[in-house]
DNA sequence: TATATTTGGACAATTATTGTCCTAAAAAAT
DNA sequence: ATTTTTTAGGACAATAATTGTCCAAATATA
């Protein structure tokens, strides 16, 4: 049993909000979206558009790359499971990241 | 230098096709799509709809889960790099897969 | 050089995502 | 206990993304 709380994007941003004792209404208005949409994002029933992620990082003063990473890893894990696949895919993806990075590096010098 | 050829979905299915000496035209007609669309899928400039992946597996007699995995790992690696993130995301995703799997298992028995 | 294949863009049709509104349920405040 | 606020969740139109189709140019093959 090691901490499994608030690992997902929605849970996490809900925590950021509730720790500050802010209602959906207030944060939503800062984000310039509907409170119900923000609620859905917190419950992972809607996806956060990129711009919302940026704004959340700035409103709550958390690292943007970290927040993006939390969101993208959510998305990846959902995708893998919903395709009926498993973790091996991630290793394959890792290799491909290496390949793409080296290809890009090569292109820069050619 | 270890084999970096035909690792990506498009490259791979092109290899399957060319090894059999089939033109785009023929495979496309079996798939019931336009040859130019298939060409784009092979060059990774278009995404293969799910149904096409299924049909490709059956046409070329390759394992469907394998083919899905090749495609999804492509997609994941592109996503990670295009967000300016890196491999750490994948480890985070792996943890989340574990969590989701255990949550699902729990739900079944409750 | 003729024929077949592949590439790549333009465009409409379809499908998915997003934002907005509304009502009901749940929680908090008085 | 009742009022007020917050949260949950669905319906729907507006917008954006994806897909399928067609065409013409470039490349490769016969």
């Amino acid at each position: 049993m090691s901490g499994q709380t608030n690992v997902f994007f929605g849970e996490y941003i809900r925590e950021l909000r509730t720790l500050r004792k802010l209602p959906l209404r207030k944060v939503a208005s800062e984000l310039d979206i509907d409170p119900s949409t923000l609620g859905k994002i917190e419950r992972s029933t809607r996806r956060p558009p990129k711009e919302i992620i940026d704004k959340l990082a700035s409103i709550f003063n958390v690292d943007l790359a970290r927040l993006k990473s939390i969101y993208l890893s959510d998305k990846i894990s959902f995708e893998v499971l919903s395709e009926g696949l498993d973790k091996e895919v991630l290793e394959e993806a890792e290799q491909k990241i290496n390949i793409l990075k080296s290809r890009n590096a090569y292109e820069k010098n050619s």
Side-chain angles (χ1 to χ4, degrees), chain A:
Chain A
M1 289 295 127
S2 73
Q4 293 196 351
T5 52
N6 308 326
V7 288
F8 293 99
F9 183 84
E11 298 171 339
Y12 178 64
I13 63 167
R14 169 155 290 187
E15 182 182 46
L16 292 176
R17 178 176 64 81
T18 53
L19 282 175
R20 290 165 175 76
K21 304 200 192 304
L22 298 167
L24 288 170
R25 180 176 50 80
K26 289 219 167 189
V27 176
S29 100
E30 283 204 68
L31 293 169
D32 216 33
I33 60 173
D34 206 86
S36 99
T37 300
L38 180 57
K40 283 164 193 159
I41 292 170
E42 288 185 348
R43 276 171 278 126
S44 304
T45 61
R46 281 252 176 138
R47 309 191 149 175
K50 257 193 242 311
E51 200 195 348
I52 298 298
I53 297 180
D54 295 346
K55 288 182 179 170
L56 283 167
S58 111
I59 289 172
F60 291 131
N61 196 36
V62 295
D63 183 62
L64 176 59
R66 189 81 262 291
L67 202 55
K68 282 184 178 173
S69 194
I70 293 173
Y71 174 62
L72 185 54
S73 56
D74 272 30
K75 197 173 157 202
I76 292 171
S77 61
F78 295 151
E79 268 177 332
V80 169
L81 291 178
S82 75
E83 290 293 339
L85 299 174
D86 211 334
K87 293 173 235 169
E88 303 81 60
V89 187
L90 301 178
E91 300 181 18
E92 212 168 341
E94 185 175 343
Q95 293 176 341
K96 290 181 182 178
I97 288 176
N98 289 331
I99 293 171
L100 290 171
K101 279 170 50 166
S102 67
R103 282 191 190 173
N104 291 345
Y106 175 76
E107 272 160 27
K108 279 186 187 147
N109 305 11
S110 67

mmCIF file of all heavy atoms in Angstrom, chain A residues 9 12-13 16 20 53-71:
data_model
loop_
_atom_site.group_PDB
_atom_site.id
_atom_site.type_symbol
_atom_site.label_atom_id
_atom_site.label_comp_id
_atom_site.label_asym_id
_atom_site.label_seq_id
_atom_site.Cartn_x
_atom_site.Cartn_y
_atom_site.Cartn_z
ATOM 1 N N PHE A 9 -4.922 13.123 -12.820
ATOM 2 C CA PHE A 9 -5.011 14.560 -13.072
ATOM 3 C C PHE A 9 -6.197 15.220 -12.370
ATOM 4 O O PHE A 9 -6.039 16.207 -11.659
ATOM 5 C CB PHE A 9 -5.088 14.814 -14.576
ATOM 6 C CG PHE A 9 -5.101 16.268 -14.946
ATOM 7 C CD1 PHE A 9 -3.920 16.978 -15.061
ATOM 8 C CD2 PHE A 9 -6.305 16.929 -15.169
ATOM 9 C CE1 PHE A 9 -3.927 18.325 -15.402
ATOM 10 C CE2 PHE A 9 -6.321 18.273 -15.507
ATOM 11 C CZ PHE A 9 -5.129 18.975 -15.615
ATOM 12 N N TYR A 12 -5.953 15.220 -8.699
ATOM 13 C CA TYR A 12 -4.879 16.124 -8.286
ATOM 14 C C TYR A 12 -5.308 17.579 -8.297
ATOM 15 O O TYR A 12 -5.102 18.307 -7.321
ATOM 16 C CB TYR A 12 -3.667 15.914 -9.203
ATOM 17 C CG TYR A 12 -2.510 16.826 -8.904
ATOM 18 C CD1 TYR A 12 -1.835 16.753 -7.686
ATOM 19 C CD2 TYR A 12 -2.083 17.762 -9.847
ATOM 20 C CE1 TYR A 12 -0.763 17.591 -7.413
ATOM 21 C CE2 TYR A 12 -1.002 18.605 -9.578
ATOM 22 C CZ TYR A 12 -0.353 18.507 -8.358
ATOM 23 O OH TYR A 12 0.707 19.352 -8.094
ATOM 24 N N ILE A 13 -5.934 17.994 -9.386
ATOM 25 C CA ILE A 13 -6.333 19.403 -9.416
ATOM 26 C C ILE A 13 -7.496 19.681 -8.463
ATOM 27 O O ILE A 13 -7.647 20.781 -7.958
ATOM 28 C CB ILE A 13 -6.670 19.914 -10.843
ATOM 29 C CG1 ILE A 13 -7.864 19.174 -11.424
ATOM 30 C CG2 ILE A 13 -5.441 19.828 -11.750
ATOM 31 C CD1 ILE A 13 -8.423 19.836 -12.669
ATOM 32 N N LEU A 16 -5.718 20.377 -5.310
ATOM 33 C CA LEU A 16 -5.147 21.731 -5.306
ATOM 34 C C LEU A 16 -6.233 22.760 -4.966
ATOM 35 O O LEU A 16 -6.007 23.718 -4.233
ATOM 36 C CB LEU A 16 -4.554 22.077 -6.678
ATOM 37 C CG LEU A 16 -3.302 21.300 -7.105
ATOM 38 C CD1 LEU A 16 -2.908 21.697 -8.534
ATOM 39 C CD2 LEU A 16 -2.146 21.565 -6.154
ATOM 40 N N ARG A 20 -7.148 24.816 -1.031
ATOM 41 C CA ARG A 20 -7.272 26.274 -0.953
ATOM 42 C C ARG A 20 -8.698 26.706 -0.602
ATOM 43 O O ARG A 20 -9.007 27.889 -0.617
ATOM 44 C CB ARG A 20 -6.850 26.883 -2.290
ATOM 45 C CG ARG A 20 -5.353 26.774 -2.549
ATOM 46 C CD ARG A 20 -5.036 27.037 -4.015
ATOM 47 N NE ARG A 20 -3.610 27.068 -4.298
ATOM 48 C CZ ARG A 20 -2.814 26.004 -4.378
ATOM 49 N NH1 ARG A 20 -3.309 24.795 -4.169
ATOM 50 N NH2 ARG A 20 -1.522 26.135 -4.650
ATOM 51 N N ILE A 53 -4.952 23.462 -18.938
ATOM 52 C CA ILE A 53 -3.812 22.942 -18.181
ATOM 53 C C ILE A 53 -2.818 24.060 -17.901
ATOM 54 O O ILE A 53 -2.340 24.221 -16.773
ATOM 55 C CB ILE A 53 -3.135 21.779 -18.941
ATOM 56 C CG1 ILE A 53 -4.123 20.611 -19.087
ATOM 57 C CG2 ILE A 53 -1.888 21.303 -18.201
ATOM 58 C CD1 ILE A 53 -3.577 19.402 -19.812
ATOM 59 N N ASP A 54 -2.546 24.861 -18.915
ATOM 60 C CA ASP A 54 -1.641 25.999 -18.727
ATOM 61 C C ASP A 54 -2.147 26.919 -17.622
ATOM 62 O O ASP A 54 -1.414 27.309 -16.718
ATOM 63 C CB ASP A 54 -1.532 26.831 -20.017
ATOM 64 C CG ASP A 54 -0.880 26.046 -21.151
ATOM 65 O OD1 ASP A 54 -0.281 24.981 -20.882
ATOM 66 O OD2 ASP A 54 -0.962 26.504 -22.309
ATOM 67 N N LYS A 55 -3.418 27.260 -17.735
ATOM 68 C CA LYS A 55 -3.978 28.188 -16.759
ATOM 69 C C LYS A 55 -3.984 27.606 -15.353
ATOM 70 O O LYS A 55 -3.720 28.318 -14.382
ATOM 71 C CB LYS A 55 -5.407 28.568 -17.157
ATOM 72 C CG LYS A 55 -5.496 29.496 -18.371
ATOM 73 C CD LYS A 55 -6.956 29.842 -18.645
ATOM 74 C CE LYS A 55 -7.129 30.783 -19.833
ATOM 75 N NZ LYS A 55 -8.565 30.899 -20.219
ATOM 76 N N LEU A 56 -4.289 26.321 -15.245
ATOM 77 C CA LEU A 56 -4.295 25.690 -13.927
ATOM 78 C C LEU A 56 -2.919 25.765 -13.280
ATOM 79 O O LEU A 56 -2.789 26.074 -12.095
ATOM 80 C CB LEU A 56 -4.729 24.217 -14.043
ATOM 81 C CG LEU A 56 -6.228 23.976 -14.227
ATOM 82 C CD1 LEU A 56 -6.493 22.531 -14.637
ATOM 83 C CD2 LEU A 56 -6.995 24.308 -12.946
ATOM 84 N N ALA A 57 -1.893 25.486 -14.101
ATOM 85 C CA ALA A 57 -0.536 25.546 -13.554
ATOM 86 C C ALA A 57 -0.260 26.942 -13.015
ATOM 87 O O ALA A 57 0.321 27.095 -11.935
ATOM 88 C CB ALA A 57 0.480 25.177 -14.625
ATOM 89 N N SER A 58 -0.711 27.934 -13.758
ATOM 90 C CA SER A 58 -0.387 29.278 -13.302
ATOM 91 C C SER A 58 -1.251 29.700 -12.110
ATOM 92 O O SER A 58 -0.772 30.289 -11.154
ATOM 93 C CB SER A 58 -0.435 30.259 -14.484
ATOM 94 O OG SER A 58 -1.514 31.140 -14.380
ATOM 95 N N ILE A 59 -2.520 29.336 -12.133
ATOM 96 C CA ILE A 59 -3.387 29.668 -10.997
ATOM 97 C C ILE A 59 -2.912 29.024 -9.704
ATOM 98 O O ILE A 59 -2.860 29.662 -8.653
ATOM 99 C CB ILE A 59 -4.837 29.207 -11.279
ATOM 100 C CG1 ILE A 59 -5.470 30.093 -12.364
ATOM 101 C CG2 ILE A 59 -5.671 29.237 -10.015
ATOM 102 C CD1 ILE A 59 -6.826 29.590 -12.830
ATOM 103 N N PHE A 60 -2.557 27.753 -9.789
ATOM 104 C CA PHE A 60 -2.170 27.045 -8.565
ATOM 105 C C PHE A 60 -0.668 27.065 -8.338
ATOM 106 O O PHE A 60 -0.164 26.453 -7.391
ATOM 107 C CB PHE A 60 -2.676 25.605 -8.604
ATOM 108 C CG PHE A 60 -4.167 25.488 -8.510
ATOM 109 C CD1 PHE A 60 -4.879 24.707 -9.402
ATOM 110 C CD2 PHE A 60 -4.866 26.163 -7.508
ATOM 111 C CE1 PHE A 60 -6.261 24.594 -9.312
ATOM 112 C CE2 PHE A 60 -6.251 26.053 -7.411
ATOM 113 C CZ PHE A 60 -6.949 25.276 -8.318
ATOM 114 N N ASN A 61 0.026 27.724 -9.250
ATOM 115 C CA ASN A 61 1.463 27.863 -9.101
ATOM 116 C C ASN A 61 2.190 26.521 -9.000
ATOM 117 O O ASN A 61 2.992 26.294 -8.089
ATOM 118 C CB ASN A 61 1.748 28.735 -7.865
ATOM 119 C CG ASN A 61 3.171 29.241 -7.873
ATOM 120 O OD1 ASN A 61 3.726 29.553 -8.934
ATOM 121 N ND2 ASN A 61 3.779 29.300 -6.689
ATOM 122 N N VAL A 62 1.840 25.632 -9.910
ATOM 123 C CA VAL A 62 2.572 24.362 -9.975
ATOM 124 C C VAL A 62 3.305 24.300 -11.310
ATOM 125 O O VAL A 62 2.958 25.005 -12.260
ATOM 126 C CB VAL A 62 1.650 23.137 -9.803
ATOM 127 C CG1 VAL A 62 1.032 23.124 -8.414
ATOM 128 C CG2 VAL A 62 0.591 23.087 -10.895
ATOM 129 N N ASP A 63 4.303 23.445 -11.364
ATOM 130 C CA ASP A 63 5.127 23.340 -12.565
ATOM 131 C C ASP A 63 4.310 22.823 -13.753
ATOM 132 O O ASP A 63 3.655 21.780 -13.672
ATOM 133 C CB ASP A 63 6.295 22.394 -12.275
ATOM 134 C CG ASP A 63 7.242 22.299 -13.451
ATOM 135 O OD1 ASP A 63 7.826 23.337 -13.816
ATOM 136 O OD2 ASP A 63 7.380 21.199 -14.023
ATOM 137 N N LEU A 64 4.359 23.563 -14.828
ATOM 138 C CA LEU A 64 3.546 23.209 -15.990
ATOM 139 C C LEU A 64 3.925 21.852 -16.588
ATOM 140 O O LEU A 64 3.057 21.035 -16.903
ATOM 141 C CB LEU A 64 3.628 24.300 -17.055
ATOM 142 C CG LEU A 64 2.897 24.024 -18.364
ATOM 143 C CD1 LEU A 64 1.411 23.793 -18.143
ATOM 144 C CD2 LEU A 64 3.102 25.182 -19.349
ATOM 145 N N ALA A 65 5.208 21.608 -16.711
ATOM 146 C CA ALA A 65 5.640 20.330 -17.291
ATOM 147 C C ALA A 65 5.146 19.166 -16.429
ATOM 148 O O ALA A 65 4.708 18.134 -16.942
ATOM 149 C CB ALA A 65 7.148 20.285 -17.424
ATOM 150 N N ARG A 66 5.199 19.373 -15.133
ATOM 151 C CA ARG A 66 4.708 18.351 -14.206
ATOM 152 C C ARG A 66 3.223 18.086 -14.446
ATOM 153 O O ARG A 66 2.772 16.949 -14.538
ATOM 154 C CB ARG A 66 4.947 18.853 -12.765
ATOM 155 C CG ARG A 66 4.698 17.836 -11.656
ATOM 156 C CD ARG A 66 5.891 16.899 -11.490
ATOM 157 N NE ARG A 66 5.658 15.656 -12.202
ATOM 158 C CZ ARG A 66 4.750 14.740 -11.842
ATOM 159 N NH1 ARG A 66 4.003 14.908 -10.788
ATOM 160 N NH2 ARG A 66 4.599 13.645 -12.537
ATOM 161 N N LEU A 67 2.473 19.137 -14.572
ATOM 162 C CA LEU A 67 1.033 19.002 -14.745
ATOM 163 C C LEU A 67 0.706 18.325 -16.077
ATOM 164 O O LEU A 67 -0.136 17.440 -16.154
ATOM 165 C CB LEU A 67 0.387 20.387 -14.653
ATOM 166 C CG LEU A 67 -1.091 20.448 -14.292
ATOM 167 C CD1 LEU A 67 -1.375 19.716 -12.994
ATOM 168 C CD2 LEU A 67 -1.535 21.910 -14.157
ATOM 169 N N LYS A 68 1.414 18.730 -17.113
ATOM 170 C CA LYS A 68 1.229 18.096 -18.423
ATOM 171 C C LYS A 68 1.533 16.609 -18.341
ATOM 172 O O LYS A 68 0.866 15.780 -18.943
ATOM 173 C CB LYS A 68 2.186 18.708 -19.452
ATOM 174 C CG LYS A 68 1.759 20.051 -19.995
ATOM 175 C CD LYS A 68 2.754 20.488 -21.072
ATOM 176 C CE LYS A 68 2.377 21.817 -21.703
ATOM 177 N NZ LYS A 68 3.452 22.303 -22.630
ATOM 178 N N SER A 69 2.579 16.320 -17.602
ATOM 179 C CA SER A 69 3.019 14.952 -17.465
ATOM 180 C C SER A 69 1.971 14.113 -16.732
ATOM 181 O O SER A 69 1.676 12.971 -17.110
ATOM 182 C CB SER A 69 4.325 14.986 -16.689
ATOM 183 O OG SER A 69 4.980 13.770 -16.769
ATOM 184 N N ILE A 70 1.383 14.699 -15.706
ATOM 185 C CA ILE A 70 0.328 13.995 -14.980
ATOM 186 C C ILE A 70 -0.845 13.730 -15.913
ATOM 187 O O ILE A 70 -1.394 12.635 -15.954
ATOM 188 C CB ILE A 70 -0.137 14.809 -13.750
ATOM 189 C CG1 ILE A 70 0.986 14.877 -12.716
ATOM 190 C CG2 ILE A 70 -1.393 14.203 -13.137
ATOM 191 C CD1 ILE A 70 0.699 15.794 -11.543
ATOM 192 N N TYR A 71 -1.173 14.719 -16.697
ATOM 193 C CA TYR A 71 -2.299 14.530 -17.591
ATOM 194 C C TYR A 71 -1.997 13.516 -18.694
ATOM 195 O O TYR A 71 -2.792 12.625 -18.978
ATOM 196 C CB TYR A 71 -2.755 15.853 -18.220
ATOM 197 C CG TYR A 71 -3.817 15.587 -19.244
ATOM 198 C CD1 TYR A 71 -5.018 15.015 -18.852
ATOM 199 C CD2 TYR A 71 -3.598 15.810 -20.597
ATOM 200 C CE1 TYR A 71 -5.988 14.689 -19.781
ATOM 201 C CE2 TYR A 71 -4.566 15.483 -21.528
ATOM 202 C CZ TYR A 71 -5.763 14.918 -21.114
ATOM 203 O OH TYR A 71 -6.711 14.575 -22.028
#
